[in-house]
Each structure stands twice: as C-alpha cells, then as structure tokens.
Amino acid sequence: MIRSLNFALKNCNKNILINSNRTINNGLLLKKNSFCTQSSEVKVPTELVVQLRKKTQSPVQECKKALQASNNDMEGAVKWLLEKGKATAEKLKTRVSAEGVISVLVDSNNGKAVILEMNSETDFVSRGDIFRNLAREISSATLSNEISGGKVAENGILEFEPTQVENIYPITVKTTNEDGVAQEMTIKDAIVRIVSKLRENIVIRRASFIQPLNNGGNSKSYISSYAHDSTSEKKDVGRLGSIVQLEYQGDCNNMDSLKEFANQLAIHIVSNSPSVITTNDIPSSVLEECKNNNKNPESLYDDMVLYEQSYMYSPDHTVKQYLDILSEKLGTKNLSVKTFRRYAIGETAERV
C-alpha cells in the first residue's frame, strides 16, 4: 500500500497541481485538500488585466490576483482590490504623516472657498501628480456638495478640525486616473485607492470653508486664494496657502483693481502669517499672558494682526490704511476683510 502511494506521488503529471500545504502522517507525504487533482487556478486573459489596471491603477500582479479571486469578473475584481486597499490603509494608519500639500479653491459663482491640508509620509509622494491631483479633486468635491459636522467659527467660517474631518469622507469625488479614466467614488475610497498604490499613510488633516454672505444682499464680497509652490505656475496647491474674503457695500467702479488687491492680500497673508484681523480679535488668553510677563500687547501686532501689518505691496501703509485708500478709489463703502485662513504643512501634525 505504501509503495503504491509513493509511486503515485512520484508519477503525477507535471500539469497536475500539488498543493504546497502538506502534512506528514505515519511517514506518508499527503497533499492537503486534494490528491493529484487538476489545477483550479483561474486563467486570466491579458486584456482583462490591462482593463483592470487602466481602471484602478493597481499593480499588474494585484490585478491578476483580483481577477483570479473573482473568477474574471471585473466589478468583483474592483471590489477585491478596494477591500485589499482598506486592509493596507488600516495597517499604515499609525504611521506619522507630516508632509503633504495645502489645497485651495474658490467658487466665485456661489461665494464659497475651501482650504484643506492633505498629508503624506514623505515629501517625495506629496510632490507627485497622483497625490496633488487627488487633493485638487477633493477640494472641488467639497465645494460641490453640502457638508455638515464642522464647527462654525468667527465670521461664519466653517472649520473641520482633525477630529471632525472624517465628516467629509462620505462625499462623492470625481477622480481621473493616469490613463484619463474618470470615476466617481467616496473621498474615503479615493484615499484608500491611493494608499494602496503609493503605500503611504495619507489623510486629510483639516479643512476650512468660507461660506456665502447671508445679509439680505446689503453687502457684496470677493474671495481670493493662494498656495505657495515654487515649482508650479498654478497656485492651487503648495506647502503654504490662504483664502481671504473681502466685504464691501455699494458698487465697485473697478473690479479688476479689487481682484488684484484680493489676490495680493492672499499672498501677503501667506508671507506674513497673521492670525487675526484686528486688535480686538486677539485672544484674551494671549493678552493675559502679555500682562503676566510685563509685555506690551502692541509688540504682538506686527506678528499677529493683519490690519496692523505693513502691507507688502505698499510698505508705507498698513493693510488697514491701504484698504481705506482703495475703498475710496473704488467708490465702495466699508471695504474690509471679513475673514481669512492660512495653513502651513505640518503645523498641526506630530512628528517623530
């Protein structure tokens, strides 16, 4: 009997599958689950692998495995890759992500704007088109959809802090991969897919939204944005960014001049890092600290207060002085900065 079994094992046809999972039983080498059975491995046509790779941008071997697991069903393979991507993202989520980009976008037609920070582990990934394009697509999606779950801060700006930012993950985003294939999926799934491809922990760290004016039409506004990136002429993503909203009454006699000022002010905010608009906006805790340290609060103005800073495009004037001069020139009333936000990469992330 033993000789017969050994003979059978030695003489199985080379095209017959011998499973690598084996057990030893009374000196006999036995296969687990089958004995000299024909291979059950699904043959995957090359054209299906090409189609799946074009659709998902996943590695070739992963596409082949997905098609085998789904018996060459394309939609099943896509789901298989997504689930595998989720498992990869789960493994990577404890890694520190302190690199990335600031993405800014303005919807002039609806009086809205967004600034968000998306992080990666390395600067190499954050400088790539795959990562940056996804940041742009997510920014666009957030302005095109109703969102909730954030915190309304001063002057009506809507904030999503690190503990709240997952509220935007269910929003549908339109993505276009490297082969020009357009798809729709949730922001969460889009991030999972890029994590699976780039093998880095990628997260949206925070986001802020300028909302449309809600004053019965008594005031008008203009919003501008700027992201600093020395490698690109398109100033919508970079390591630093800002959004700013101007408010005024009356008719403006030169919108081009107003837009130019708003664009320059967004650059000024990135360059000079103010944190509040007026001296009245300085937090009481900061003033108390000055008092306790016998420090004059006015010493904070240049660093913190936008209106008190020397305007970089007209250094002889403060920002507030230049606003007043421009308002008179444009024929508007009460031209002012309603709100702004400035982000810098990594300023809220813990590094190790």
Side-chain angles (χ1 to χ4, degrees):
M1 179 65 178
I2 292 175
R3 289 181 180 179
S4 298
L5 287 172
N6 285 335
F7 180 83
L9 283 170
K10 289 179 181 179
N11 292 280
C12 281
N13 190 290
K14 291 181 181 180
N15 294 325
I16 294 175
L17 173 66
I18 297 178
N19 195 304
S20 62
N21 294 320
R22 298 170 176 175
T23 60
I24 301 295
N25 185 17
N26 295 326
L28 295 179
L29 189 61
L30 301 177
K31 291 186 302 172
K32 193 175 182 178
N33 298 328
S34 64
F35 179 75
C36 294
T37 56
Q38 195 71 26
S39 172
S40 61
E41 183 175 318
V42 176
K43 292 184 178 180
V44 179
T46 302
E47 56 268 24
L48 281 184
V49 176
V50 172
Q51 289 176 26
L52 185 58
R53 170 150 173 78
K54 187 174 182 179
K55 189 172 186 178
T56 66
Q57 295 297 299
S58 297
V60 171
Q61 287 303 316
E62 292 299 307
C63 290
K64 184 177 179 180
K65 290 177 184 178
L67 287 163
Q68 287 175 335
S70 62
N71 201 28
N72 288 331
D73 176 65
M74 186 62 68
E75 291 306 313
V78 171
K79 290 179 181 178
W80 188 93
L81 288 170
L82 181 58
E83 290 304 313
K84 192 172 188 299
K86 288 179 180 178
T88 301
E90 186 68 21
K91 290 178 182 178
L92 298 178
K93 73 177 185 180
T94 58
R95 294 186 185 178
V96 174
S97 297
E99 295 296 332
V101 294
I102 306 301
S103 174
V104 295
L105 185 65
V106 175
D107 178 359
S108 300
N109 293 330
N110 295 302
K112 299 191 294 184
V114 60
I115 180 170
L116 65 81
E117 178 179 358
M118 192 166 88
N119 295 134
S120 61
E121 295 177 39
T122 65
D123 181 56
F124 176 78
V125 163
S126 71
R127 286 187 280 109
D129 287 341
I130 294 174
F131 183 86
R132 293 188 167 212
N133 286 340
L134 180 59
R136 292 183 176 106
E137 289 162 349
I138 290 174
S139 295
S140 179
T142 60
L143 287 186
S144 303
N145 291 270
E146 293 295 326
I147 54 176
S148 60
K151 178 182 70 175
V152 179
E154 78 284 356
N155 295 328
I157 202 162
L158 183 61
E159 304 273 21
F160 286 82
E161 297 174 351
T163 56
Q164 303 166 317
V165 77
E166 286 195 1
N167 285 296
I168 73 174
Y169 279 12
I171 290 174
T172 298
V173 59
K174 296 178 181 179
T175 67
T176 303
N177 66 25
E178 293 170 287
D179 292 316
V181 178
Q183 292 178 299
E184 290 189 1
M185 63 190 74
T186 65
I187 289 175
K188 183 176 181 179
D189 286 349
I191 291 175
V192 164
R193 181 168 289 184
I194 197 175
V195 167
S196 182
K197 182 178 178 64
L198 301 178
R199 292 297 194 271
E200 285 200 12
N201 184 28
I202 293 169
V203 296
I204 300 175
R205 179 73 55 187
R206 52 184 170 151
S208 298
F209 297 87
I210 289 177
Q211 302 294 293
L213 291 179
N214 186 19
N215 57 15
N218 295 324
S219 297
K220 301 173 184 177
S221 75
Y222 184 79
I223 304 172
S224 187
S225 64
Y226 174 76
H228 183 69
D229 181 7
S230 59
T231 65
S232 173
E233 294 182 3
K234 194 173 182 180
K235 302 303 181 182
D236 58 348
V237 294
R239 293 187 62 83
L240 302 165
S242 72
I243 52 175
V244 58
Q245 182 180 36
L246 301 178
E247 184 178 15
Y248 62 95
Q249 285 86 43
D251 293 325
C252 176
N253 60 33
N254 191 334
M255 281 302 298
D256 288 339
S257 293
L258 181 65
K259 292 176 181 179
E260 181 183 25
F261 170 71
N263 294 339
Q264 291 175 345
L265 186 60
I267 297 172
H268 172 99
I269 289 169
V270 166
S271 301
N272 292 274
S273 333
S275 54
V276 297
I277 298 173
T278 73
T279 55
N280 293 331
D281 300 322
I282 298 176
S284 57
S285 59
V286 175
L287 295 175
E288 187 66 25
E289 185 179 347
C290 282
K291 183 179 179 181
N292 293 337
N293 293 319
N294 296 318
K295 189 176 180 180
N296 189 338
E298 292 186 5
S299 64
L300 303 174
Y301 291 178
D302 276 349
D303 290 333
M304 290 187 65
V305 185
L306 175 63
Y307 273 9
E308 302 300 321
Q309 291 178 338
S310 174
Y311 183 43
M312 65 181 291
Y313 290 93
S314 182
D316 293 336
H317 300 96
T318 64
V319 171
K320 181 64 170 72
Q321 289 170 342
Y322 195 86
L323 268 170
D324 293 339
I325 293 171
L326 184 63
S327 184
E328 184 176 351
K329 184 186 296 185
L330 298 178
T332 60
K333 297 179 181 178
N334 303 321
L335 178 62
S336 63
V337 176
K338 179 174 174 57
T339 192
F340 75 89
R341 279 296 177 271
R342 178 189 185 275
Y343 280 5
I345 277 296
E347 61 188 357
T348 63
E350 294 182 2
R351 294 175 181 264
V352 290

